[in-house]
PDB file of all heavy atoms in Angstrom:
ATOM      1  N   GLY A 160       1.258   8.093  -9.856  1.00 96.00           N
ATOM      2  CA  GLY A 160       1.190   9.463 -10.348  1.00 96.00           C
ATOM      3  C   GLY A 160       2.047   9.774 -11.545  1.00 96.00           C
ATOM      4  O   GLY A 160       1.949  10.861 -12.115  1.00 96.00           O
ATOM      5  N   LYS A 162       5.345  10.295 -12.032  1.00 96.00           N
ATOM      6  CA  LYS A 162       6.595  11.045 -12.004  1.00 96.00           C
ATOM      7  C   LYS A 162       7.761  10.067 -11.998  1.00 96.00           C
ATOM      8  O   LYS A 162       7.896   9.271 -11.076  1.00 96.00           O
ATOM      9  CB  LYS A 162       6.668  11.939 -10.765  1.00 96.00           C
ATOM     10  CG  LYS A 162       5.832  13.201 -10.857  1.00 96.00           C
ATOM     11  CD  LYS A 162       6.112  14.097  -9.653  1.00 96.00           C
ATOM     12  CE  LYS A 162       5.353  15.395  -9.749  1.00 96.00           C
ATOM     13  NZ  LYS A 162       5.664  16.297  -8.605  1.00 96.00           N
ATOM     14  N   PHE A 177       6.730  12.941 -17.005  1.00 97.00           N
ATOM     15  CA  PHE A 177       5.471  12.397 -16.509  1.00 97.00           C
ATOM     16  C   PHE A 177       5.140  11.208 -17.397  1.00 97.00           C
ATOM     17  O   PHE A 177       4.957  11.353 -18.606  1.00 97.00           O
ATOM     18  CB  PHE A 177       4.354  13.447 -16.591  1.00 97.00           C
ATOM     19  CG  PHE A 177       4.501  14.556 -15.590  1.00 97.00           C
ATOM     20  CD1 PHE A 177       5.157  15.721 -15.919  1.00 97.00           C
ATOM     21  CD2 PHE A 177       3.980  14.420 -14.313  1.00 97.00           C
ATOM     22  CE1 PHE A 177       5.302  16.748 -15.006  1.00 97.00           C
ATOM     23  CE2 PHE A 177       4.125  15.440 -13.381  1.00 97.00           C
ATOM     24  CZ  PHE A 177       4.783  16.606 -13.725  1.00 97.00           C
ATOM     25  N   VAL A 249      -5.586  13.619  -5.865  1.00 96.00           N
ATOM     26  CA  VAL A 249      -4.853  14.826  -6.247  1.00 96.00           C
ATOM     27  C   VAL A 249      -4.320  14.702  -7.675  1.00 96.00           C
ATOM     28  O   VAL A 249      -4.420  15.634  -8.473  1.00 96.00           O
ATOM     29  CB  VAL A 249      -3.703  15.098  -5.253  1.00 96.00           C
ATOM     30  CG1 VAL A 249      -2.837  16.264  -5.733  1.00 96.00           C
ATOM     31  CG2 VAL A 249      -4.253  15.402  -3.865  1.00 96.00           C
ATOM     32  N   VAL A 250      -3.745  13.547  -8.007  1.00 97.00           N
ATOM     33  CA  VAL A 250      -3.170  13.337  -9.336  1.00 97.00           C
ATOM     34  C   VAL A 250      -4.243  13.468 -10.411  1.00 97.00           C
ATOM     35  O   VAL A 250      -4.006  14.058 -11.481  1.00 97.00           O
ATOM     36  CB  VAL A 250      -2.480  11.962  -9.410  1.00 97.00           C
ATOM     37  CG1 VAL A 250      -2.112  11.608 -10.848  1.00 97.00           C
ATOM     38  CG2 VAL A 250      -1.241  11.943  -8.528  1.00 97.00           C
ATOM     39  N   LYS A 252      -6.740  15.361 -10.451  1.00 95.00           N
ATOM     40  CA  LYS A 252      -7.104  16.774 -10.639  1.00 95.00           C
ATOM     41  C   LYS A 252      -5.976  17.601 -11.227  1.00 95.00           C
ATOM     42  O   LYS A 252      -6.222  18.682 -11.773  1.00 95.00           O
ATOM     43  CB  LYS A 252      -7.541  17.371  -9.295  1.00 95.00           C
ATOM     44  CG  LYS A 252      -8.817  16.742  -8.741  1.00 95.00           C
ATOM     45  CD  LYS A 252      -9.093  17.212  -7.323  1.00 95.00           C
ATOM     46  CE  LYS A 252     -10.352  16.554  -6.760  1.00 95.00           C
ATOM     47  NZ  LYS A 252     -10.547  16.862  -5.325  1.00 95.00           N
ATOM     48  N   ASP A 253      -4.735  17.117 -11.114  1.00 94.00           N
ATOM     49  CA  ASP A 253      -3.589  17.901 -11.580  1.00 94.00           C
ATOM     50  C   ASP A 253      -2.449  16.962 -11.957  1.00 94.00           C
ATOM     51  O   ASP A 253      -1.427  16.909 -11.288  1.00 94.00           O
ATOM     52  CB  ASP A 253      -3.157  18.889 -10.485  1.00 94.00           C
ATOM     53  CG  ASP A 253      -1.998  19.782 -10.923  1.00 94.00           C
ATOM     54  OD1 ASP A 253      -1.754  19.900 -12.137  1.00 94.00           O
ATOM     55  OD2 ASP A 253      -1.332  20.346 -10.033  1.00 94.00           O
ATOM     56  N   GLU A 254      -2.636  16.234 -13.048  1.00 95.00           N
ATOM     57  CA  GLU A 254      -1.656  15.226 -13.447  1.00 95.00           C
ATOM     58  C   GLU A 254      -0.268  15.819 -13.676  1.00 95.00           C
ATOM     59  O   GLU A 254       0.745  15.231 -13.288  1.00 95.00           O
ATOM     60  CB  GLU A 254      -2.116  14.526 -14.736  1.00 95.00           C
ATOM     61  CG  GLU A 254      -1.130  13.473 -15.224  1.00 95.00           C
ATOM     62  CD  GLU A 254      -1.431  12.962 -16.618  1.00 95.00           C
ATOM     63  OE1 GLU A 254      -2.429  13.403 -17.216  1.00 95.00           O
ATOM     64  OE2 GLU A 254      -0.651  12.132 -17.118  1.00 95.00           O
ATOM     65  N   MET A 255      -0.198  17.006 -14.290  1.00 92.00           N
ATOM     66  CA  MET A 255       1.081  17.561 -14.706  1.00 92.00           C
ATOM     67  C   MET A 255       1.701  18.499 -13.680  1.00 92.00           C
ATOM     68  O   MET A 255       2.641  19.231 -13.981  1.00 92.00           O
ATOM     69  CB  MET A 255       0.909  18.299 -16.052  1.00 92.00           C
ATOM     70  CG  MET A 255       0.294  17.449 -17.145  1.00 92.00           C
ATOM     71  SD  MET A 255       1.204  15.920 -17.470  1.00 92.00           S
ATOM     72  CE  MET A 255       2.664  16.561 -18.278  1.00 92.00           C
ATOM     73  N   ASP A 256       1.173  18.495 -12.466  1.00 88.00           N
ATOM     74  CA  ASP A 256       1.769  19.267 -11.362  1.00 88.00           C
ATOM     75  C   ASP A 256       1.805  20.761 -11.676  1.00 88.00           C
ATOM     76  O   ASP A 256       2.819  21.437 -11.479  1.00 88.00           O
ATOM     77  CB  ASP A 256       3.188  18.757 -11.079  1.00 88.00           C
ATOM     78  CG  ASP A 256       3.650  19.094  -9.665  1.00 88.00           C
ATOM     79  OD1 ASP A 256       2.872  19.680  -8.907  1.00 88.00           O
ATOM     80  OD2 ASP A 256       4.805  18.780  -9.334  1.00 88.00           O
ATOM     81  N   LEU A 257       0.687  21.294 -12.149  1.00 86.00           N
ATOM     82  CA  LEU A 257       0.607  22.713 -12.498  1.00 86.00           C
ATOM     83  C   LEU A 257       0.067  23.576 -11.365  1.00 86.00           C
ATOM     84  O   LEU A 257       0.074  24.799 -11.461  1.00 86.00           O
ATOM     85  CB  LEU A 257      -0.276  22.886 -13.744  1.00 86.00           C
ATOM     86  CG  LEU A 257       0.228  22.175 -15.007  1.00 86.00           C
ATOM     87  CD1 LEU A 257      -0.778  22.325 -16.138  1.00 86.00           C
ATOM     88  CD2 LEU A 257       1.595  22.707 -15.416  1.00 86.00           C
ATOM     89  N   GLY A 258      -0.423  22.948 -10.300  1.00 85.00           N
ATOM     90  CA  GLY A 258      -0.973  23.732  -9.204  1.00 85.00           C
ATOM     91  C   GLY A 258      -1.274  22.887  -7.984  1.00 85.00           C
ATOM     92  O   GLY A 258      -0.471  22.764  -7.066  1.00 85.00           O
ATOM     93  N   LEU A 259      -2.465  22.266  -7.981  1.00 89.00           N
ATOM     94  CA  LEU A 259      -2.931  21.527  -6.814  1.00 89.00           C
ATOM     95  C   LEU A 259      -1.955  20.441  -6.379  1.00 89.00           C
ATOM     96  O   LEU A 259      -1.757  20.205  -5.179  1.00 89.00           O
ATOM     97  CB  LEU A 259      -4.300  20.900  -7.100  1.00 89.00           C
ATOM     98  CG  LEU A 259      -4.863  19.972  -6.014  1.00 89.00           C
ATOM     99  CD1 LEU A 259      -5.155  20.759  -4.741  1.00 89.00           C
ATOM    100  CD2 LEU A 259      -6.120  19.259  -6.503  1.00 89.00           C
ATOM    101  N   ARG A 260      -1.332  19.768  -7.325  1.00 90.00           N
ATOM    102  CA  ARG A 260      -0.462  18.639  -6.993  1.00 90.00           C
ATOM    103  C   ARG A 260       0.721  19.051  -6.110  1.00 90.00           C
ATOM    104  O   ARG A 260       1.335  18.212  -5.457  1.00 90.00           O
ATOM    105  CB  ARG A 260       0.025  17.958  -8.274  1.00 90.00           C
ATOM    106  CG  ARG A 260       0.749  16.637  -8.026  1.00 90.00           C
ATOM    107  CD  ARG A 260       0.875  15.816  -9.292  1.00 90.00           C
ATOM    108  NE  ARG A 260       1.740  14.662  -9.079  1.00 90.00           N
ATOM    109  CZ  ARG A 260       1.889  13.668  -9.931  1.00 90.00           C
ATOM    110  NH1 ARG A 260       1.208  13.668 -11.065  1.00 90.00           N
ATOM    111  NH2 ARG A 260       2.695  12.665  -9.684  1.00 90.00           N
ATOM    112  N   ASN A 261       1.001  20.351  -6.075  1.00 90.00           N
ATOM    113  CA  ASN A 261       2.059  20.831  -5.188  1.00 90.00           C
ATOM    114  C   ASN A 261       1.831  20.426  -3.739  1.00 90.00           C
ATOM    115  O   ASN A 261       2.778  20.286  -2.964  1.00 90.00           O
ATOM    116  CB  ASN A 261       2.162  22.358  -5.258  1.00 90.00           C
ATOM    117  CG  ASN A 261       2.850  22.835  -6.529  1.00 90.00           C
ATOM    118  OD1 ASN A 261       3.577  22.097  -7.170  1.00 90.00           O
ATOM    119  ND2 ASN A 261       2.608  24.078  -6.893  1.00 90.00           N
ATOM    120  N   VAL A 262       0.556  20.244  -3.353  1.00 95.00           N
ATOM    121  CA  VAL A 262       0.279  19.919  -1.942  1.00 95.00           C
ATOM    122  C   VAL A 262       0.891  18.583  -1.545  1.00 95.00           C
ATOM    123  O   VAL A 262       1.144  18.341  -0.357  1.00 95.00           O
ATOM    124  CB  VAL A 262      -1.242  19.931  -1.638  1.00 95.00           C
ATOM    125  CG1 VAL A 262      -1.860  21.286  -1.992  1.00 95.00           C
ATOM    126  CG2 VAL A 262      -1.976  18.795  -2.320  1.00 95.00           C
ATOM    127  N   LEU A 263       1.149  17.707  -2.522  1.00 94.00           N
ATOM    128  CA  LEU A 263       1.768  16.415  -2.224  1.00 94.00           C
ATOM    129  C   LEU A 263       3.210  16.580  -1.756  1.00 94.00           C
ATOM    130  O   LEU A 263       3.813  15.630  -1.258  1.00 94.00           O
ATOM    131  CB  LEU A 263       1.723  15.496  -3.449  1.00 94.00           C
ATOM    132  CG  LEU A 263       0.329  15.045  -3.902  1.00 94.00           C
ATOM    133  CD1 LEU A 263       0.415  14.307  -5.224  1.00 94.00           C
ATOM    134  CD2 LEU A 263      -0.327  14.169  -2.837  1.00 94.00           C
ATOM    135  N   ASN A 264       3.747  17.778  -1.950  1.00 92.00           N
ATOM    136  CA  ASN A 264       5.120  18.038  -1.550  1.00 92.00           C
ATOM    137  C   ASN A 264       5.212  18.664  -0.163  1.00 92.00           C
ATOM    138  O   ASN A 264       6.232  19.282   0.181  1.00 92.00           O
ATOM    139  CB  ASN A 264       5.810  18.948  -2.573  1.00 92.00           C
ATOM    140  CG  ASN A 264       6.165  18.201  -3.844  1.00 92.00           C
ATOM    141  OD1 ASN A 264       6.684  17.097  -3.801  1.00 92.00           O
ATOM    142  ND2 ASN A 264       5.871  18.794  -4.982  1.00 92.00           N
ATOM    143  N   ASP A 340      14.349  24.135  -5.763  1.00 71.00           N
ATOM    144  CA  ASP A 340      13.111  23.359  -5.670  1.00 71.00           C
ATOM    145  C   ASP A 340      12.259  23.579  -6.907  1.00 71.00           C
ATOM    146  O   ASP A 340      12.177  24.697  -7.449  1.00 71.00           O
ATOM    147  CB  ASP A 340      12.331  23.776  -4.408  1.00 71.00           C
ATOM    148  CG  ASP A 340      11.146  22.873  -4.134  1.00 71.00           C
ATOM    149  OD1 ASP A 340      11.337  21.849  -3.457  1.00 71.00           O
ATOM    150  OD2 ASP A 340      10.037  23.192  -4.609  1.00 71.00           O
ATOM    151  N   LYS A 341      11.593  22.520  -7.358  1.00 64.00           N
ATOM    152  CA  LYS A 341      10.797  22.606  -8.593  1.00 64.00           C
ATOM    153  C   LYS A 341       9.553  23.484  -8.441  1.00 64.00           C
ATOM    154  O   LYS A 341       8.928  23.835  -9.426  1.00 64.00           O
ATOM    155  CB  LYS A 341      10.403  21.189  -9.041  1.00 64.00           C
ATOM    156  CG  LYS A 341      11.603  20.370  -9.506  1.00 64.00           C
ATOM    157  CD  LYS A 341      11.183  19.000 -10.004  1.00 64.00           C
ATOM    158  CE  LYS A 341      10.793  18.087  -8.879  1.00 64.00           C
ATOM    159  NZ  LYS A 341      11.898  17.780  -7.955  1.00 64.00           N
ATOM    160  N   LYS A 342       9.195  23.832  -7.205  1.00 65.00           N
ATOM    161  CA  LYS A 342       8.031  24.708  -6.997  1.00 65.00           C
ATOM    162  C   LYS A 342       8.410  26.193  -7.031  1.00 65.00           C
ATOM    163  O   LYS A 342       7.543  27.055  -6.896  1.00 65.00           O
ATOM    164  CB  LYS A 342       7.352  24.384  -5.660  1.00 65.00           C
ATOM    165  CG  LYS A 342       6.749  22.989  -5.590  1.00 65.00           C
ATOM    166  CD  LYS A 342       6.040  22.753  -4.273  1.00 65.00           C
ATOM    167  CE  LYS A 342       6.963  22.753  -3.084  1.00 65.00           C
ATOM    168  NZ  LYS A 342       8.047  21.749  -3.179  1.00 65.00           N
ATOM    169  N   ARG A 344       8.903  29.739  -8.227  1.00 71.00           N
ATOM    170  CA  ARG A 344       8.329  30.544  -9.307  1.00 71.00           C
ATOM    171  C   ARG A 344       8.819  31.974  -9.155  1.00 71.00           C
ATOM    172  O   ARG A 344       8.686  32.569  -8.088  1.00 71.00           O
ATOM    173  CB  ARG A 344       6.795  30.533  -9.260  1.00 71.00           C
ATOM    174  CG  ARG A 344       6.154  29.169  -9.486  1.00 71.00           C
ATOM    175  CD  ARG A 344       6.298  28.687 -10.924  1.00 71.00           C
ATOM    176  NE  ARG A 344       5.572  27.440 -11.131  1.00 71.00           N
ATOM    177  CZ  ARG A 344       6.073  26.245 -10.891  1.00 71.00           C
ATOM    178  NH1 ARG A 344       7.300  26.129 -10.419  1.00 71.00           N
ATOM    179  NH2 ARG A 344       5.349  25.161 -11.102  1.00 71.00           N
ATOM    180  N   ARG A 349       8.171  28.427  -2.888  1.00 88.00           N
ATOM    181  CA  ARG A 349       6.775  28.220  -2.517  1.00 88.00           C
ATOM    182  C   ARG A 349       6.697  27.080  -1.508  1.00 88.00           C
ATOM    183  O   ARG A 349       7.194  25.988  -1.748  1.00 88.00           O
ATOM    184  CB  ARG A 349       5.935  27.906  -3.758  1.00 88.00           C
ATOM    185  CG  ARG A 349       6.047  28.984  -4.828  1.00 88.00           C
ATOM    186  CD  ARG A 349       5.439  28.551  -6.143  1.00 88.00           C
ATOM    187  NE  ARG A 349       4.001  28.753  -6.151  1.00 88.00           N
ATOM    188  CZ  ARG A 349       3.125  27.892  -6.634  1.00 88.00           C
ATOM    189  NH1 ARG A 349       3.532  26.738  -7.116  1.00 88.00           N
ATOM    190  NH2 ARG A 349       1.847  28.162  -6.627  1.00 88.00           N
TER     191      ARG A 349
END
Side-chain angles (χ1 to χ4, degrees):
K162 283 187 177 182
F177 289 93
V249 174
V250 169
K252 295 171 181 173
D253 182 19
E254 179 191 359
M255 305 304 288
D256 202 2
L257 299 176
L259 174 65
R260 189 164 171 170
N261 284 339
V262 303
L263 294 172
N264 285 315
D340 189 88
K341 292 183 286 296
K342 295 183 295 303
R344 296 290 185 274
R349 304 169 83 222

